[in-house]
Amino acid sequence: MYGLKSVMGGRSVLSCCSIFLILMGACFAGNFHDDFTVVWSRENVIVDDASRTVKLSMNEVAGASLASSEAFLFGSFSVKLKLIKGDSAGTVCSFYLTSYGSNHDEIDVEFLGNETGQPYVVHTNVFSNGVGGREQRMFLWFDPTESFHTYSVIWNHHQIL
């Protein structure tokens, strides 16, 4: 049971420009390579079958990205994330849930890099039927570089949390 414990009427995609990203949850009973597709930078994707975790890392030229092989309607999606310490301006670590087609729906969660000493910012957006414009920026009240923190999106037919 790897990584994603959910998603929406589309695939879930993770893009990583941070030191580590660990997917948590349990929804898939199969093998990682059956349940996910590495979109880019395969060398930065480390699968640990024993702990059923996936680590995405970053090097000097690239982060990594993976996507679920299946589409889902509702559920919960969680990542355990630790951001880059110090001057991380120009990096973005994100995860998003998306559908494809003319009625594009998407939930974005992006962690923006910063200059040393500045607060870290989480940028979110929701697209419904191809229309976004629901951006929110939140300054974190804790240091997301000190340890891993769990971030989740819960989506059912009534609401998105």
Side-chain angles (χ1 to χ4, degrees), residues 110-156:
E110 301 172 339
F111 297 84
L112 308 179
N114 68 11
E115 296 176 340
T116 303
Q118 299 299 312
Y120 284 84
V121 177
V122 176
H123 179 94
T124 63
N125 197 0
V126 174
F127 289 80
S128 178
N129 291 318
V131 178
R134 296 172 182 89
E135 293 94 357
Q136 296 287 316
R137 284 185 163 212
M138 294 159 273
F139 291 91
L140 298 178
W141 60 95
F142 57 91
D143 185 349
T145 69
E146 290 299 317
S147 62
F148 285 92
H149 298 275
T150 302
Y151 304 92
S152 301
V153 173
I154 301 169
W155 184 4
N156 60 42

Side-chain angles (χ1 to χ4, degrees), residues 1-14 22-28 36 68 70-80 95-98 107 109 150-157 159-161:
M1 310 254 222
Y2 277 93
L4 306 174
K5 187 185 175 187
S6 71
V7 279
M8 63 202 259
R11 292 170 49 176
S12 75
V13 180
L14 295 172
I22 300 176
L23 299 175
M24 299 187 47
C27 173
F28 300 102
F36 296 94
S68 63
E70 300 293 328
F72 302 91
L73 187 55
F74 299 114
S76 64
F77 176 84
S78 296
V79 296
K80 200 169 194 180
F95 64 93
Y96 60 97
L97 313 175
T98 189
I107 301 171
V109 179
T150 302
Y151 304 92
S152 301
V153 173
I154 301 169
W155 184 4
N156 60 42
H157 65 286
Q159 60 194 348
I160 300 169
L161 302 172

Side-chain angles (χ1 to χ4, degrees), residues 14-17 38 40-42 44-45 56-58 62-66:
L14 295 172
S15 298
C16 180
C17 288
V38 176
W40 43 269
S41 295
R42 185 171 300 282
N44 292 341
V45 178
L56 305 183
S57 64
M58 181 181 106
S65 179
L66 61 88

